[in-house]
Amino acid sequence: MTGASTYDLTGKRVFVAGHRGMVGSAVVRRLASENCTVLVADRRELDLTKEEPTLRWLEANRPEVVVHAAAKVGGIAANNNFPVDFLCDNLALELNVIRASHTVGVQRLLFLGSSCIYPKHARQPIAESELLTGPLEPTNEWYAIAKIAGLKMCQAFRRQYGDDFISIMPTNLYGRGDNYHPDHSHVPAALIRRFHEAKIVNAPSVSVWGTGTPLREFLNVEDFADACVFLMKNYSNDLPINVGSGDEFSIADFAATVAEVVGYEGELVFDTSKPDGTPRKLLDSSRLRALGWRANTPLRSGLAAAYQDFQKGYGRHLEVRAAT
Ligand code: GFB
């Protein structure tokens, strides 16, 4: 079951929910080269965690396509420390956006999930069929449960009403517009910042969380945005579809690569008091490849671009630290 299907974006009104986040902003950039109208709403104008305003906004703006990229996201520590936010905010966002999209007759909706929806000890590489075959990784089960619910909502609206709502599961993402919070970010942004600050003060060593042994697959967010547009035009199916690069690294090797890109030459010290999380998370993206899409940004050049982006916003990143 490939799910191949064609949808013409020409002249369509496409609402990107969550356009200020790393993924949403990349999708907006990517859509600029499509012949469509991109709709966005600032948080002050529209709070997507509120049901009534979400429905009113969609009724007033009548998008034909919705990309649901609005989510409360964060790395392993944030997931662990803010279970209510990761579960409740994400459930509210999904329910409001997906249900209102159905009510106003949206033709195609893309729900963006996460590879953490799969069981902690899923068979590797992880095929879409591994969903709900075993227990989740405890550090991020709140987020995973919310994302599984979003995926199930898409399946339910498709089954009951025939809505063309699809779910896309990205692997670990990094790139322009990432959150560089020192504690709440994902590993790429956390290490870019930590190595950069260590380089400036000539620190002899830098701490890397966990044992360094977990395996992760990384995908540049510009590639992911390209996959989203590709799937918007070429995929329609009940099953979620994985989006990965196939590039897998141990956290130790990944950290060494980030240090090289940043130009930090000190020692890396593994802090085993911090959690490792899932031991391995490599997506099986063969269904996506069979449709004709593959990633094309090598990790090193993607990280170099992310580091440049970080440096441009460095003052802003320091304010993030002061404010939280
Ligand atoms: O990126 P990360 O937080 O995401 O952590 P997950 C990946 C790995 O990097 C873990 C290690 O083994 C961490 O222990 N790591 C090393 C670090 N140093 C650091 C650091 O300074 N910061 C962080 N954050 N990690 C997330 C989920 O899990 O994956 C989310 O919690 C989401 O829900 C995301 O699904 C894609 O891959 O462990």
Side-chain angles (χ1 to χ4, degrees), residues 76 79 114 116 140 143 172 185 187 194 209 216 275-276 281:
I76 194 165
N79 271 265
S114 163
C116 73
N140 59 33
Y143 181 68
N172 285 40
S185 58
V187 64
R194 211 171 295 144
W209 295 358
R216 291 291 183 275
D276 269 345
K281 214 169 19 164

Side-chain angles (χ1 to χ4, degrees), residues 72-238:
K72 171 84 183 169
V73 297
I76 194 165
N79 271 265
N80 225 356
N81 297 337
F82 306 108
V84 174
D85 300 354
F86 278 79
L87 180 63
C88 300
D89 288 5
N90 285 312
L91 283 173
L93 291 165
E94 290 158 7
L95 186 57
N96 296 339
V97 172
I98 295 171
R99 195 156 56 182
S101 294
H102 164 75
T103 306
V104 304
V106 164
Q107 292 170 5
R108 186 162 275 212
L109 178 140
L110 266 73
F111 172 69
L112 307 185
S114 163
S115 56
C116 73
I117 61 161
Y118 295 114
K120 174 172 182 148
H121 296 295
R123 278 176 299 181
Q124 308 281 328
I126 310 173
E128 292 87 351
S129 54
E130 290 291 302
L131 183 67
L132 296 174
T133 55
L136 298 164
E137 154 62 29
T139 53
N140 59 33
E141 65 180 343
W142 319 98
Y143 181 68
I145 295 271
K147 288 293 178 184
I148 292 169
L151 177 165
K152 286 289 163 193
M153 278 182 223
C154 291
Q155 289 181 337
F157 277 100
R158 179 180 285 269
R159 185 160 309 179
Q160 191 168 332
Y161 298 110
D163 291 336
D164 195 353
F165 293 176
I166 62 172
S167 296
I168 302 180
M169 298 303 132
T171 196
N172 285 40
L173 302 172
Y174 72 93
R176 189 169 154 189
D178 209 341
N179 163 22
Y180 289 95
H181 190 284
D183 305 318
H184 301 159
S185 58
H186 291 99
V187 64
L191 293 184
I192 286 174
R193 179 176 185 152
R194 211 171 295 144
F195 290 139
H196 175 78
E197 292 178 346
K199 182 176 79 170
I200 290 172
V201 300
N202 258 323
S205 67
V206 162
S207 152
V208 177
W209 295 358
T211 58
T213 59
L215 298 166
R216 291 291 183 275
E217 178 189 27
F218 293 97
L219 177 68
N220 188 270
V221 73
E222 311 299 335
D223 282 350
F224 179 60
D226 188 60
C228 287
V229 173
F230 175 85
L231 290 166
M232 206 182 286
K233 299 198 281 192
N234 295 292
Y235 183 75
S236 175
N237 200 279
D238 188 49

Side-chain angles (χ1 to χ4, degrees), residues 306-322:
Y307 181 43
Q308 270 185 5
D309 175 57
F310 165 80
Q311 286 174 293
K312 274 192 224 148
Y314 189 56
R316 185 163 43 82
H317 305 313
L318 290 180
E319 282 162 28
V320 167
R321 173 184 279 195

